[in-house]
Amino acid sequence: MTGLMREGDPVRRLEVLRGTTPPRPHDARAIAALAANPGCARRALMDGAGIDKDAAARHLGFPAPFGQSPFAITRGNAFEALVKADGCAELLRMLRELLGLPIAEVAYHDVENVGAHLRHAHTRALIDRAARDGGEGAPSPEAGAEATAPPATETAGPGEAVSTAGTLYDHPLLSLRIAGHTAYLEPDVVAFQLGGRFRIVEIKSFAVIDGQADPSSVAAAARQAAVYVLALRTMLEELGHDPLMVSHDVVLVCPENFANRPVATLVDVRKQLAVLRRQLDRMTTLDRLLDGLPDELTFDLRPDEDGRPTRPVAELSDALRRTTARYAPDCLSTCDLCFFCRDEARQEGASDLLGRQVRDELGGVASVAEALGLADGTRDPAEGQEEIARLLRNAERLRRECLT
Amino acid sequence: MSLLTSLARLRALDEGIAQPVATVRHCHLAERPMVFIPLKLSGEAAAPLAAMLGTDRGDPRLLVVPQPRNRDLRFAWAAELAGVLLPYVEGFLGDTETVERRNADPYERTVDAPQIIVPNQGGMAFVRLLGRSTRFRRTDGPYPVPESVPLLGRWLTYFAERAAYPGSSLMLAATDELGRHWASGQSSLEDANLAALLSWITTGPSDDAEDPLVWPPAGPATDPGFDAEVLAPAIEGGSPERVAEALRTQLEPTWRLMWQAIDLLAGLPEGASVAQRWEQDRGSFSGMAAHVAEGTPPQARRDGAVAAAAKLARMERAQAAYDVQRAYDDPLVMAEYRLTGEAFAGEVIETVPDNVEGEGRSRKLRPLVVIKTDDPVRLAPGTSLGTPQRRTQGAELVSADDGLVTVKITKGMGRGRTAAPGAVPEVGERVCYTSLTDDFQGSPSLPESEATPWTHGGPPQEYTPDDEDAQEEWS
Ligand code: SF4
């Protein structure tokens, strides 16, 4: 880790926060989840420091409720293999249909062939070359779906053919800087370049039935794809190319109906990109969150040789409580620390427990006791609380009247 | 969610026990509901794994697909399911009443109808997908299935569609119905867990409810830990008995919870409009049965544009009617409208029962009633009002200030020169008036489906399932 982010102090402090626990590399799912609760300082700090929240939650005695069934994993792998079989032949067929491409031939690169350690550099070189060749004289970025000249094949390296008109990159490795750390990301399959446009292809095994899929699954896939779009755009920008060569329409490939036959759909991820950018910007300014925290504060699990955490639980829990959480029931599906934070919210009697809707309804009255005090009239409204206090008192009167 | 419900949730959290948000039951409860708990294979859209179902709490049927990846076994399972559900559904067809209609032929309506109760929204979605994956199957050709399978598919599709109709009780999700009647001290997200919601209602919150080893999930998804440690080895072992026993352990706890939920709902007195909505359900059910009997083809994959718009308009009207009826049936629901100023309640302090308006032939009886209320009234003079105490009566707001509201009765007090006895509330009576009225315009004029504008895809093609539908993989 180079840690060149800024003057070095925030980075050093983040390293102190993590302590001797090995950093947990971010994957796209984790990065996508960052945007799920942008207001939470605790999460921003832990993710910024690369802390393994799952291990921390386990050690605290609040293991996260996320597990994946072996059946689901098998099914996901089988579907991905099907789509990628024979040099992504099936994928190509769908892309032709979806994008209306007249391309007969498409080059296929399995970046994985070069070995893991070189994958990122290799991906970079390939994308650079494609952007240079494909970008020149290419129509304006948005016209990417229009007809292009027939493929002109040239030699990209020893024994590798690159077609500027169409190339599929399998197993590419991208990167993204998260609060001073580099996170390596593997798009499910492919960054795909056609007519001067790159497209992220995401393969998911949830079904699209009669043109409809589970909205929460689609939303999660879109958030994740947005991470890849951002990473690829950043890479292009660093290489001196136009980042907008990467389309904000990602290609989502899912099984159709009840069969295994894949179907491709374009999904616009502009909204997800905007949220993600905001959250990542926020994480580069972690120094503000670090202000006011004791210098030696650490979330170190102090693993022994076998990796077993030895940090006293109470100590770790106290350290975490020094940072401000912003628990919401959504955390239950997005953050490893959810049970810990929910427990804390319970102890504090926070109205957050009941969900954002209730919180909004209460117009900023944060504690259960306070809200009930206003309703009972045993507590006087603070300034600005008169309206909600009046409503709560009225609501209380009506409930009493109807229930007795 | 309203502030009133939010307050109930706060109170529940504070007191450690759920709080009522209804004083009557707003759904119909059948005498013999069919409790249906489906489980599916994780990672698949609608691959059935097992189901526990039945109308007798002491005698649940367990249906299992011993090798969930085997297509033939899935269809055999669907046929078994049909063997339980179809006789139940068809059992209601024998007993009918003739319903006269204005401007239309009379029709036969069943005097009772089936009711399926699933644990949660996931169960509803599974019923819809199971219906979708079975209704186009053929009994002949390359992948024949038993005759009962496509018929089951049509019925399941019907139940799933009808469940989206506001106020319908043909298929209910236990967590939804409980949540409509009680506010827990947790979020609505967590209320989707049947065990957790029930424990809030009965004994107070318990962490056990979230422990899959104590309370396995109510489906249709199974616990990933169970999948890995118990189910996968059992399936690999190839012993159907072992698979069945494993799945029984996951279903039995939910079976008990389902009946507990039913008992809780049954403990509430039925709302006054419930029978009327159930009557509509019976009419709808009879219509579907007639379609099936006439041999019409299965429901299309998607609605045409006109059908979809008409359906949307119907649903909106049903939602509005359902909201009004619940408010009229239940003072605690009406309280929501009193809080926002769309309704008010109080004591009658003065009446002018013989007040008249106009002269000569246009002279009309318009009794006046003055009500003292603590509610914040936000209704303009001239607003039409209805009252739950006298549902056929119409009234109009004359004035409202300082906690005194004057209303004028305009309809439903008899035709005589003086008001019919009991039509005008007495001094001292508690009454409630509201601008909510269950009086909705007829359906918006939508083109007949043959006249669908080309902008909406042109006239829909009559849906005829083809071979591809029938042979669609189910993998
Ligand atoms: S679970 Fe806790 S740390 Fe995670 S996002 Fe929610 S409040 Fe923040």
Side-chain angles (χ1 to χ4, degrees), chain A residues 69 210 342 361 397 399, chain B residues 1 20 132 190 210 227 375:
Chain A
S69 160
D210 298 338
R342 184 176 68 176
E361 200 96 56
R397 174 181 65 85
R399 278 191 63 79
Chain B
M1 206 177 322
R132 165 64 183 79
E190 290 153 298
E210 283 173 351
D227 285 358
D375 297 342

Side-chain angles (χ1 to χ4, degrees), chain A residues 33-34 36-44 46-47 53 320 323-328 330-332 334-342 344:
Chain A
L34 291 181
N37 191 354
C40 176
R42 177 175 297 163
R43 175 165 189 153
M46 293 189 88
D47 284 336
K53 296 196 298 302
L320 278 173
T323 59
T324 323
R326 190 149 179 255
Y327 174 79
D330 284 345
C331 294
L332 293 171
T334 53
C335 184
D336 292 314
L337 280 177
C338 56
F339 281 164
F340 176 78
C341 296
R342 184 176 68 176
E344 182 186 55

Side-chain angles (χ1 to χ4, degrees), chain A residues 285-306:
Chain A
T285 54
L286 285 177
D287 31 348
R288 260 199 296 118
L289 298 179
L290 288 163
D291 280 350
L293 291 178
D295 256 346
E296 344 55 53
L297 183 74
T298 177
F299 304 145
D300 197 351
L301 300 182
R302 293 202 201 113
D304 61 15
E305 297 100 82
D306 302 328

Side-chain angles (χ1 to χ4, degrees), chain B residues 10-27:
Chain B
L10 289 165
R11 191 66 73 195
L13 184 54
D14 189 53
E15 296 191 357
I17 192 93
Q19 301 291 308
V21 289
T23 61
V24 296
R25 173 163 41 79
H26 294 285
C27 58

Side-chain angles (χ1 to χ4, degrees), chain A residues 101 103-107 130 133-134 144 148-153 162-167 192-197:
Chain A
L101 293 169
I103 293 157
E105 269 178 60
V106 161
D133 298 344
T148 51
T153 311
V162 169
S163 153
T164 54
T167 310
F192 171 65
Q193 186 267 350
L194 273 176
R197 286 298 251 176

